[in-house]
Short mmCIF file of all heavy atoms in Angstrom, two decimals:
data_model
loop_
_atom_site.label_atom_id
_atom_site.label_comp_id
_atom_site.label_asym_id
_atom_site.label_seq_id
_atom_site.Cartn_x
_atom_site.Cartn_y
_atom_site.Cartn_z
N GLU A 1 25.83 -5.62 -25.58
CA GLU A 1 24.39 -5.93 -25.40
C GLU A 1 24.04 -6.38 -24.01
O GLU A 1 22.89 -5.94 -23.53
CB GLU A 1 23.88 -7.03 -26.28
CG GLU A 1 23.96 -6.71 -27.81
CD GLU A 1 22.87 -5.68 -28.15
OE1 GLU A 1 21.86 -5.71 -27.60
OE2 GLU A 1 23.13 -4.77 -29.07
N THR A 2 24.88 -7.03 -23.25
CA THR A 2 24.59 -7.46 -21.99
C THR A 2 24.57 -6.28 -21.06
O THR A 2 23.68 -6.24 -20.19
CB THR A 2 25.63 -8.51 -21.47
OG1 THR A 2 25.58 -9.60 -22.37
CG2 THR A 2 25.33 -8.99 -20.08
N MET A 3 25.41 -5.41 -21.23
CA MET A 3 25.51 -4.09 -20.42
C MET A 3 24.21 -3.25 -20.61
O MET A 3 23.54 -2.78 -19.67
CB MET A 3 26.77 -3.21 -20.75
CG MET A 3 27.99 -3.93 -20.23
SD MET A 3 29.48 -2.98 -20.35
CE MET A 3 29.22 -1.73 -21.62
N VAL A 4 23.76 -3.17 -21.87
CA VAL A 4 22.67 -2.51 -22.24
C VAL A 4 21.34 -3.12 -21.57
O VAL A 4 20.50 -2.44 -21.00
CB VAL A 4 22.36 -2.25 -23.78
CG1 VAL A 4 21.11 -1.64 -24.06
CG2 VAL A 4 23.55 -1.37 -24.30
N PHE A 5 21.32 -4.47 -21.65
CA PHE A 5 20.24 -5.29 -21.12
C PHE A 5 20.15 -5.05 -19.58
O PHE A 5 19.12 -4.80 -19.04
CB PHE A 5 20.47 -6.72 -21.32
CG PHE A 5 19.54 -7.73 -20.53
CD1 PHE A 5 18.26 -7.74 -20.89
CD2 PHE A 5 20.19 -8.49 -19.64
CE1 PHE A 5 17.34 -8.53 -20.22
CE2 PHE A 5 19.23 -9.29 -18.96
CZ PHE A 5 17.90 -9.39 -19.26
N ILE A 6 21.35 -5.11 -18.90
CA ILE A 6 21.30 -4.85 -17.39
C ILE A 6 20.83 -3.46 -17.14
O ILE A 6 20.04 -3.26 -16.13
CB ILE A 6 22.74 -5.09 -16.93
CG1 ILE A 6 23.03 -6.67 -17.05
CG2 ILE A 6 22.88 -4.66 -15.45
CD1 ILE A 6 24.50 -7.03 -16.65
N ASN A 7 21.36 -2.49 -17.83
CA ASN A 7 20.89 -1.13 -17.52
C ASN A 7 19.45 -0.96 -17.79
O ASN A 7 18.72 -0.23 -17.13
CB ASN A 7 21.64 -0.15 -18.51
CG ASN A 7 23.10 0.01 -18.08
OD1 ASN A 7 23.42 -0.17 -16.94
ND2 ASN A 7 24.03 0.51 -19.12
N GLU A 8 18.78 -1.56 -18.81
CA GLU A 8 17.43 -1.57 -19.05
C GLU A 8 16.65 -2.14 -17.83
O GLU A 8 15.68 -1.54 -17.49
CB GLU A 8 17.01 -2.18 -20.45
CG GLU A 8 17.34 -1.39 -21.61
CD GLU A 8 16.86 -2.05 -22.79
OE1 GLU A 8 16.07 -2.96 -22.76
OE2 GLU A 8 17.30 -1.65 -23.97
N CYS A 9 17.06 -3.32 -17.47
CA CYS A 9 16.50 -3.96 -16.35
C CYS A 9 16.47 -3.19 -15.03
O CYS A 9 15.54 -3.28 -14.22
CB CYS A 9 17.04 -5.42 -16.13
SG CYS A 9 16.55 -6.52 -17.47
N THR A 10 17.62 -2.58 -14.76
CA THR A 10 17.63 -1.77 -13.58
C THR A 10 16.80 -0.54 -13.53
O THR A 10 16.30 -0.02 -12.50
CB THR A 10 19.09 -1.37 -13.20
OG1 THR A 10 19.57 -0.63 -14.30
CG2 THR A 10 20.01 -2.59 -12.96
N GLU A 11 16.44 -0.08 -14.74
CA GLU A 11 15.47 1.14 -14.94
C GLU A 11 14.13 0.70 -14.69
O GLU A 11 13.09 1.60 -14.54
CB GLU A 11 15.73 1.75 -16.27
CG GLU A 11 17.16 2.20 -16.39
CD GLU A 11 17.44 3.51 -15.67
OE1 GLU A 11 16.55 4.45 -15.49
OE2 GLU A 11 18.55 3.70 -15.33
N LEU A 12 13.70 -0.62 -14.86
CA LEU A 12 12.30 -0.97 -14.90
C LEU A 12 11.73 -0.97 -13.44
O LEU A 12 12.47 -1.18 -12.50
CB LEU A 12 12.20 -2.38 -15.33
CG LEU A 12 12.44 -2.60 -16.92
CD1 LEU A 12 12.48 -4.10 -17.23
CD2 LEU A 12 11.41 -1.93 -17.82
N ARG A 13 10.46 -0.56 -13.35
CA ARG A 13 9.71 -0.73 -12.03
C ARG A 13 8.56 -1.64 -12.24
O ARG A 13 8.06 -1.75 -13.44
CB ARG A 13 9.19 0.74 -11.70
CG ARG A 13 10.29 1.74 -11.64
CD ARG A 13 11.15 1.52 -10.42
NE ARG A 13 12.12 2.54 -10.23
CZ ARG A 13 13.42 2.26 -10.44
NH1 ARG A 13 13.88 1.03 -10.68
NH2 ARG A 13 14.45 3.14 -10.28
N TYR A 14 8.14 -2.20 -11.27
CA TYR A 14 6.95 -3.21 -11.39
C TYR A 14 5.91 -2.95 -10.28
O TYR A 14 6.22 -2.37 -9.28
CB TYR A 14 7.51 -4.67 -11.26
CG TYR A 14 7.92 -5.21 -9.84
CD1 TYR A 14 6.97 -5.74 -9.10
CD2 TYR A 14 9.14 -4.93 -9.44
CE1 TYR A 14 7.22 -6.23 -7.71
CE2 TYR A 14 9.48 -5.29 -8.14
CZ TYR A 14 8.64 -5.91 -7.26
OH TYR A 14 8.88 -6.42 -6.03
N GLU A 15 4.79 -3.35 -10.52
CA GLU A 15 3.64 -3.27 -9.52
C GLU A 15 2.94 -4.67 -9.53
O GLU A 15 2.83 -5.25 -10.71
CB GLU A 15 2.81 -2.17 -9.85
CG GLU A 15 1.97 -2.25 -11.14
CD GLU A 15 1.12 -1.03 -11.41
OE1 GLU A 15 1.52 0.11 -11.10
OE2 GLU A 15 -0.01 -1.25 -11.93
N LYS A 16 2.61 -5.09 -8.46
CA LYS A 16 1.79 -6.33 -8.40
C LYS A 16 0.38 -6.12 -8.81
O LYS A 16 -0.25 -5.13 -8.38
CB LYS A 16 1.85 -6.99 -6.94
CG LYS A 16 3.21 -7.48 -6.59
CD LYS A 16 3.29 -8.15 -5.14
CE LYS A 16 4.61 -8.60 -4.85
NZ LYS A 16 4.67 -9.24 -3.58
N MET A 17 -0.21 -7.04 -9.53
CA MET A 17 -1.53 -6.85 -10.03
C MET A 17 -2.46 -7.33 -8.89
O MET A 17 -2.19 -8.25 -8.22
CB MET A 17 -1.86 -7.72 -11.26
CG MET A 17 -0.86 -7.20 -12.46
SD MET A 17 -1.06 -5.54 -12.87
CE MET A 17 -2.73 -5.67 -13.64
N ASP A 18 -3.64 -6.81 -8.81
CA ASP A 18 -4.58 -7.26 -7.77
C ASP A 18 -5.08 -8.58 -8.06
O ASP A 18 -5.33 -9.04 -9.17
CB ASP A 18 -5.86 -6.29 -7.78
CG ASP A 18 -5.48 -4.87 -7.40
OD1 ASP A 18 -4.49 -4.72 -6.58
OD2 ASP A 18 -6.13 -3.87 -7.77
N ASN A 19 -5.30 -9.34 -6.93
CA ASN A 19 -5.89 -10.65 -6.98
C ASN A 19 -5.18 -11.65 -7.94
O ASN A 19 -5.69 -12.56 -8.52
CB ASN A 19 -7.34 -10.68 -7.38
CG ASN A 19 -8.18 -9.88 -6.43
OD1 ASN A 19 -7.89 -9.98 -5.08
ND2 ASN A 19 -9.19 -9.24 -6.81
N SER A 20 -3.86 -11.62 -8.20
CA SER A 20 -3.14 -12.58 -9.00
C SER A 20 -1.62 -12.50 -8.66
O SER A 20 -1.14 -11.58 -7.89
CB SER A 20 -3.34 -12.32 -10.44
OG SER A 20 -2.55 -11.13 -10.81
N SER A 21 -0.86 -13.36 -9.17
CA SER A 21 0.54 -13.38 -8.88
C SER A 21 1.18 -12.59 -10.05
O SER A 21 2.52 -12.54 -10.09
CB SER A 21 1.09 -14.81 -8.82
OG SER A 21 0.92 -15.41 -10.10
N ALA A 22 0.54 -12.03 -11.03
CA ALA A 22 1.12 -11.36 -12.07
C ALA A 22 1.69 -9.96 -11.66
O ALA A 22 1.24 -9.37 -10.59
CB ALA A 22 0.10 -11.09 -13.22
N ILE A 23 2.70 -9.48 -12.36
CA ILE A 23 3.24 -8.14 -12.17
C ILE A 23 3.12 -7.31 -13.48
O ILE A 23 3.08 -7.91 -14.55
CB ILE A 23 4.78 -8.12 -11.63
CG1 ILE A 23 5.51 -8.86 -12.71
CG2 ILE A 23 4.83 -8.88 -10.47
CD1 ILE A 23 7.11 -8.79 -12.50
N ARG A 24 3.10 -6.11 -13.33
CA ARG A 24 3.11 -5.23 -14.55
C ARG A 24 4.49 -4.40 -14.48
O ARG A 24 4.79 -3.73 -13.51
CB ARG A 24 2.03 -4.29 -14.50
CG ARG A 24 2.12 -3.24 -15.65
CD ARG A 24 0.85 -2.32 -15.61
NE ARG A 24 -0.33 -3.06 -16.12
CZ ARG A 24 -1.58 -2.84 -15.90
NH1 ARG A 24 -1.83 -1.77 -15.22
NH2 ARG A 24 -2.49 -3.56 -16.42
N LEU A 25 5.19 -4.43 -15.64
CA LEU A 25 6.50 -3.64 -15.69
C LEU A 25 6.27 -2.33 -16.32
O LEU A 25 5.37 -2.26 -17.22
CB LEU A 25 7.47 -4.32 -16.53
CG LEU A 25 8.02 -5.86 -16.07
CD1 LEU A 25 8.78 -6.36 -17.07
CD2 LEU A 25 8.84 -5.53 -14.82
N LYS A 26 6.88 -1.40 -15.73
CA LYS A 26 6.82 -0.02 -16.30
C LYS A 26 8.22 0.55 -16.49
O LYS A 26 9.04 0.40 -15.59
CB LYS A 26 5.98 0.91 -15.42
CG LYS A 26 4.71 0.64 -15.22
CD LYS A 26 3.85 1.48 -14.37
CE LYS A 26 2.38 1.18 -14.33
NZ LYS A 26 1.69 2.29 -13.49
N GLU A 27 8.37 1.17 -17.57
CA GLU A 27 9.65 1.84 -17.95
C GLU A 27 9.49 3.32 -17.89
O GLU A 27 8.39 3.87 -17.83
CB GLU A 27 10.10 1.46 -19.31
CG GLU A 27 9.42 1.97 -20.43
CD GLU A 27 8.17 1.08 -20.93
OE1 GLU A 27 7.85 0.08 -20.21
OE2 GLU A 27 7.47 1.52 -21.76
N GLN A 28 10.59 3.94 -17.72
CA GLN A 28 10.58 5.37 -17.64
C GLN A 28 10.20 5.93 -18.99
O GLN A 28 10.24 5.20 -20.08
CB GLN A 28 11.87 6.04 -17.24
CG GLN A 28 12.21 5.66 -15.79
CD GLN A 28 13.63 6.24 -15.38
OE1 GLN A 28 14.26 6.74 -16.21
NE2 GLN A 28 13.89 6.08 -14.13
N SER A 29 9.82 7.17 -19.17
CA SER A 29 9.40 7.62 -20.45
C SER A 29 10.47 7.52 -21.50
O SER A 29 10.10 7.30 -22.80
CB SER A 29 8.97 9.19 -20.43
OG SER A 29 10.10 9.87 -19.91
N SER A 30 11.69 7.49 -21.15
CA SER A 30 12.77 7.48 -22.19
C SER A 30 13.26 5.94 -22.29
O SER A 30 14.22 5.67 -22.91
CB SER A 30 13.86 8.29 -21.87
OG SER A 30 14.46 8.06 -20.53
N GLY A 31 12.77 5.02 -21.38
CA GLY A 31 13.18 3.69 -21.20
C GLY A 31 12.57 2.70 -22.24
O GLY A 31 11.55 3.07 -22.90
N ARG A 32 13.03 1.49 -22.28
CA ARG A 32 12.49 0.39 -22.98
C ARG A 32 12.58 -0.81 -22.22
O ARG A 32 13.34 -0.93 -21.23
CB ARG A 32 13.36 0.32 -24.22
CG ARG A 32 13.54 1.44 -25.15
CD ARG A 32 14.46 1.34 -26.27
NE ARG A 32 13.72 0.88 -27.40
CZ ARG A 32 14.26 0.54 -28.61
NH1 ARG A 32 15.55 0.56 -28.68
NH2 ARG A 32 13.48 0.22 -29.48
N LYS A 33 11.73 -1.77 -22.66
CA LYS A 33 11.87 -3.05 -21.99
C LYS A 33 11.89 -4.24 -22.97
O LYS A 33 11.55 -5.38 -22.73
CB LYS A 33 10.61 -3.27 -21.08
CG LYS A 33 9.31 -3.09 -21.60
CD LYS A 33 8.24 -3.07 -20.55
CE LYS A 33 6.90 -2.84 -21.21
NZ LYS A 33 5.89 -2.71 -20.27
N ASP A 34 12.30 -3.93 -24.20
CA ASP A 34 12.36 -4.81 -25.27
C ASP A 34 13.23 -6.16 -24.95
O ASP A 34 12.84 -7.21 -25.16
CB ASP A 34 12.88 -4.31 -26.64
CG ASP A 34 12.03 -3.19 -27.03
OD1 ASP A 34 10.79 -3.05 -26.53
OD2 ASP A 34 12.37 -2.36 -27.88
N ARG A 35 14.47 -5.85 -24.48
CA ARG A 35 15.51 -6.86 -24.25
C ARG A 35 14.93 -7.73 -23.04
O ARG A 35 14.95 -8.90 -23.08
CB ARG A 35 16.86 -6.27 -23.87
CG ARG A 35 17.44 -5.80 -25.10
CD ARG A 35 18.79 -5.17 -24.78
NE ARG A 35 19.55 -4.65 -25.95
CZ ARG A 35 19.40 -3.41 -26.40
NH1 ARG A 35 18.61 -2.59 -25.74
NH2 ARG A 35 20.10 -2.98 -27.41
N TYR A 36 14.35 -7.25 -21.92
CA TYR A 36 13.76 -7.85 -20.96
C TYR A 36 12.62 -8.80 -21.34
O TYR A 36 12.69 -10.04 -21.01
CB TYR A 36 13.25 -7.00 -19.80
CG TYR A 36 12.51 -7.73 -18.65
CD1 TYR A 36 13.37 -8.32 -17.72
CD2 TYR A 36 11.19 -7.98 -18.70
CE1 TYR A 36 12.64 -9.00 -16.65
CE2 TYR A 36 10.59 -8.77 -17.81
CZ TYR A 36 11.27 -9.22 -16.81
OH TYR A 36 10.69 -10.03 -15.73
N VAL A 37 11.76 -8.34 -22.23
CA VAL A 37 10.60 -9.16 -22.69
C VAL A 37 11.18 -10.28 -23.66
O VAL A 37 10.74 -11.44 -23.63
CB VAL A 37 9.69 -8.20 -23.50
CG1 VAL A 37 8.56 -9.20 -24.10
CG2 VAL A 37 8.99 -7.31 -22.54
N SER A 38 12.08 -10.06 -24.49
CA SER A 38 12.77 -11.05 -25.22
C SER A 38 13.36 -12.24 -24.34
O SER A 38 13.19 -13.39 -24.59
CB SER A 38 13.84 -10.52 -26.14
OG SER A 38 13.21 -9.65 -27.06
N VAL A 39 14.12 -11.77 -23.35
CA VAL A 39 14.80 -12.80 -22.58
C VAL A 39 13.67 -13.59 -21.73
O VAL A 39 13.81 -14.92 -21.57
CB VAL A 39 15.73 -12.19 -21.57
CG1 VAL A 39 16.26 -13.07 -20.55
CG2 VAL A 39 16.90 -11.56 -22.44
N ALA A 40 12.74 -12.85 -21.19
CA ALA A 40 11.62 -13.54 -20.46
C ALA A 40 10.79 -14.47 -21.26
O ALA A 40 10.59 -15.66 -20.81
CB ALA A 40 10.70 -12.55 -19.96
N MET A 41 10.54 -14.21 -22.57
CA MET A 41 9.82 -15.01 -23.47
C MET A 41 10.79 -16.27 -23.81
O MET A 41 10.19 -17.33 -23.89
CB MET A 41 9.43 -14.29 -24.72
CG MET A 41 8.25 -13.31 -24.51
SD MET A 41 6.79 -14.06 -23.74
CE MET A 41 6.28 -15.05 -25.10
N GLY A 42 11.98 -16.01 -24.06
CA GLY A 42 12.90 -17.05 -24.33
C GLY A 42 13.07 -18.08 -23.16
O GLY A 42 12.92 -19.25 -23.40
N CYS A 43 12.98 -17.55 -21.93
CA CYS A 43 13.09 -18.40 -20.65
C CYS A 43 11.79 -19.14 -20.61
O CYS A 43 11.76 -20.43 -20.26
CB CYS A 43 13.32 -17.55 -19.47
SG CYS A 43 14.95 -16.96 -19.38
#
């Protein structure tokens, strides 16, 4: 699971949102960000 998590995270791209410190994550069409979001929410 850790290897899959790392692979998912390396495939993600981000962009900074205008006028804030927030970022938006984007995955490739075949990608996912479920594990990243789960870990981020847990943290």
Side-chain angles (χ1 to χ4, degrees):
E1 289 291 328
T2 304
M3 289 187 337
V4 175
F5 170 69
I6 292 170
N7 288 337
E8 282 183 14
C9 288
T10 57
E11 300 282 327
L12 292 174
R13 302 291 177 247
Y14 74 95
E15 64 182 40
K16 292 183 180 181
M17 303 299 292
D18 295 334
N19 299 326
S20 76
S21 62
I23 61 170
R24 175 177 286 159
L25 290 175
K26 292 186 176 185
E27 70 275 0
Q28 295 177 355
S29 61
S30 63
R32 305 174 94 181
K33 57 185 173 189
D34 300 343
R35 287 179 179 88
Y36 174 84
V37 172
S38 296
V39 170
M41 291 300 293
C43 288

